[in-house]
Amino acid sequence: MVEQREQIIMGVDPGTNITGYGIIKATGNKIELVNYGIIDLRKIKDDHAIKLKRIFERILSLIEEFLPDEFAIEAPFYGKNVQSMLKLGRAQGVAMAAALFREVPIAEYAPKKVKMSITGKGGASKEQVNSMLERILSFKFDHKMASMDASDGIAVALCHCFQRGKHGKPAGGNLNVKGKGGGWSSYIKNNPDRLK
């Protein structure tokens, strides 16, 4: 009997008021929810730098506690409010910096990609995503413990799990492969969705 490799994946939905996170464990075809929650920054008024510091510290402590093998994060979506976009980008940046600090590989997914991966519809509502997560992972979301931003974090982790190739390797294979069919040209050909 071949021993199946266990993978811990941390997913993050960055935000400057609420950052959601979810941690899952994948062993072969079995996926289970390990932990989820939010980093609530709403009480910090008018000090964006302190919010960013808190995001970095909390993400780092979660990484040190759960030791994820991979880290997936939702990319900020393009909106009309440039200031909001900049703030979301900074929140994403410090969360990524925490993963980089602990040398955890990072993958980034557009919100539509996450929704499509979980529900089959890129325009699905948060409620639809949450309902599918409960069915896939066999759990009941505790709304008293965390906001829907936490389920977004779980969805990002699960999306990444679905996107990985066989044997826990990231989809698209190894970028360091030399010779025919390897390297960036092969990666780009096999992963056109990553270039959007």
Side-chain angles (χ1 to χ4, degrees):
M1 185 172 153
V2 178
E3 187 178 331
Q4 294 180 321
R5 188 166 169 240
E6 179 183 288
Q7 287 267 304
I8 305 287
I9 302 168
M10 180 173 181
V12 173
D13 175 33
T16 53
N17 285 325
I18 298 175
T19 288
Y21 64 87
I23 300 161
I24 62 172
K25 179 168 70 173
T27 311
N29 291 330
K30 183 182 176 192
I31 304 169
E32 59 186 289
L33 182 62
V34 175
N35 198 338
Y36 67 94
I38 59 168
I39 304 166
D40 192 343
L41 307 160
R42 290 174 290 190
K43 290 182 181 176
I44 302 170
K45 303 289 183 194
D46 303 322
D47 197 335
H48 190 63
I50 295 296
K51 288 183 176 188
L52 296 176
K53 181 176 183 280
R54 293 268 166 82
I55 293 168
F56 179 85
E57 290 171 343
R58 184 68 180 121
I59 295 292
L60 189 60
S61 74
L62 287 165
I63 288 170
E64 290 170 347
E65 181 179 354
F66 293 100
L67 304 172
D69 299 291
E70 298 174 20
F71 182 93
I73 193 160
E74 189 171 275
F77 60 90
Y78 178 77
K80 291 181 181 177
N81 187 329
V82 177
Q83 283 300 316
S84 294
M85 184 73 178
L86 283 170
K87 287 180 178 179
L88 276 175
R90 290 175 186 151
Q92 182 196 35
V94 296
M96 291 171 73
L100 289 168
F101 188 72
R102 287 292 175 231
E103 299 181 353
V104 182
I106 298 170
E108 182 182 40
Y109 297 97
K112 280 190 174 186
K113 177 78 171 179
V114 174
K115 290 176 181 178
M116 179 68 79
S117 180
I118 304 304
T119 69
K121 294 187 284 184
S125 68
K126 282 181 179 276
E127 290 76 19
Q128 289 171 316
V129 170
N130 188 66
S131 176
M132 281 303 294
L133 289 174
E134 289 182 332
R135 288 167 63 187
I136 293 167
L137 296 170
S138 301
F139 84 107
K140 186 69 181 157
F141 188 79
D142 185 350
H143 292 276
K144 291 178 184 174
M145 185 187 112
S147 73
M148 292 293 259
D149 296 279
S151 74
D152 288 346
I154 300 166
V156 175
L158 194 57
C159 171
H160 181 65
C161 185
F162 291 159
Q163 297 304 311
R164 292 180 314 142
K166 291 181 180 177
H167 312 299
K169 292 179 184 173
N174 185 351
L175 291 180
N176 297 320
V177 173
K178 298 208 188 303
K180 191 175 180 183
W184 277 110
S185 59
S186 174
Y187 180 80
I188 290 167
K189 182 180 173 188
N190 294 328
N191 297 279
D193 59 313
R194 294 286 191 114
L195 304 175
K196 294 177 183 174

